[in-house]
Amino acid sequence: MIEILLDAESRDPNTLGELLWDAYGQFDKGFPIDNLRPLLSSPSEKVLGLGAFLANELGWRARAMIPELAELMGSSNAGIRFNAIGALTDCTTEEHGEILGKLLQCLEDPDSGVRWRVIEFIRLSGSGQFAMAIRNAASQRPNSIYTELDLSFRYSRAVTETMVRQLASHSHPGLRLFAAGLALRPRKIIDENLAKIVLEAGEPEPCGLISRAFQLHAVPTSAEFGRVENSQMKDSSTSGVFRGDGHLKKRGAKRQAPSQTV
């Protein structure tokens, strides 16, 4: 099965799709994860894409592949970068500071799907991952936006409305995106006030990220209270519902499905 995937360049795409899910099923059942390594180190971009996809689907089970996945963040293929970052979000710990610093810098990636993946990392990373990503990004890129973030979080990890407001209105688009991820990080509740600050700033991409999180049930379910199911930002029975672009529609207007990032 792995040999066929390694020969992807000469295989029928439909057959490859079926085989890819068969391979995922075998890995899920305990097929040794080391068999994924040849797919993640292939000279073929197509094969690398298949390997990155499998790693992303396998999540934490692909943690032995962290070095290979870190290399794929530098791929010229946005889909490969997208899946590598997704896998690294699940695989890394605070011990992988150098890799996490490079991951956070993909906040400035030219591809919107890859940027969305980094926002997902900001939202879902553990406190240790989050802190080490900022610290290492600042060390790797002195006098950058990451230096500003490091100064903001150096003495306290508490997220305040003032902090979110400053980031949401910052002149750098990367920090405006960071504000969206920060507003959606789980606390004991999902604080809608923080999300609304980002929406009020009116920047289309961060607004879209915030709105999709609520409309598509993407707020982390690890929050203890105030889950998205009970959110006024989602419930059309309130004064309005949020469109995919972050603006309010009047109650009763036809609801539009938010656009997909990828």
Side-chain angles (χ1 to χ4, degrees):
M1 188 179 298
I2 296 297
E3 290 180 0
I4 295 174
L5 291 175
L6 286 169
D7 190 35
E9 297 284 358
S10 61
R11 300 286 175 169
D12 177 69
N14 294 325
T15 303
L16 279 176
E18 294 177 6
L19 187 63
L20 192 63
W21 284 112
D22 287 343
Y24 168 77
Q26 293 303 311
F27 280 118
D28 193 44
K29 292 175 183 177
F31 187 51
I33 199 68
D34 278 351
N35 290 291
L36 183 60
R37 185 166 281 113
L39 299 177
L40 297 175
S41 55
S42 169
S44 164
E45 186 175 271
K46 188 170 185 178
V47 174
L48 288 176
L50 298 176
F53 174 84
L54 281 172
N56 181 44
E57 293 297 319
L58 290 166
W60 63 268
R61 288 165 290 188
R63 60 185 179 273
M65 305 292 113
I66 287 176
E68 287 83 358
L69 291 166
E71 287 294 321
L72 293 184
M73 287 193 293
S75 170
S76 61
N77 184 298
I80 291 175
R81 300 197 302 275
F82 175 92
N83 283 315
I85 291 170
L88 287 168
T89 296
D90 290 336
C91 292
T92 51
T93 69
E94 57 191 276
E95 297 178 358
H96 302 101
E98 183 178 354
I99 292 170
L100 291 171
K102 293 177 180 178
L103 187 160
L104 187 60
Q105 290 174 65
C106 292
L107 196 60
E108 300 172 89
D109 195 276
D111 183 81
S112 62
V114 175
R115 295 194 297 271
W116 176 80
R117 268 301 195 197
V118 181
I119 299 304
E120 289 293 281
F121 168 80
I122 294 167
R123 291 180 54 224
L124 302 174
S125 58
S127 58
Q129 281 178 298
F130 181 73
M132 292 304 293
I134 294 172
R135 185 180 307 170
N136 280 272
S139 174
Q140 293 161 5
R141 291 268 305 279
N143 303 315
S144 67
I145 59 172
Y146 308 102
T147 309
E148 292 189 45
L149 288 176
D150 190 36
L151 291 172
S152 297
F153 287 97
R154 182 170 296 177
Y155 302 110
S156 174
R157 294 181 189 173
V159 178
T160 65
E161 290 190 13
T162 298
M163 180 186 294
V164 175
R165 198 176 301 280
Q166 289 174 343
L167 290 170
S169 60
H170 199 279
S171 60
H172 196 289
L175 289 185
R176 297 197 295 270
L177 282 173
F178 189 93
L182 192 62
L184 292 171
R185 276 182 69 78
R187 289 159 284 276
K188 285 192 174 180
I189 61 170
I190 299 300
D191 190 337
E192 291 187 7
N193 288 331
L194 300 182
K196 288 176 180 177
I197 288 170
V198 178
L199 291 170
E200 289 166 1
E203 182 75 11
E205 189 172 4
C207 283
L209 292 167
I210 290 286
S211 294
R212 267 196 303 278
F214 282 87
Q215 296 295 335
L216 300 181
H217 306 273
V219 172
T221 56
S222 56
E224 295 174 14
F225 308 104
R227 296 184 181 176
V228 68
E229 288 81 0
N230 301 318
S231 168
Q232 289 186 354
M233 293 176 69
K234 175 178 178 294
D235 187 356
S236 61
S237 67
T238 61
S239 59
V241 294
F242 284 89
R243 299 192 324 216
D245 58 4
H247 297 290
L248 272 171
K249 293 192 298 183
K250 292 182 180 179
R251 184 171 55 188
K254 184 178 180 181
R255 192 179 284 196
Q256 299 291 324
S259 60
Q260 296 295 321
T261 306
V262 294

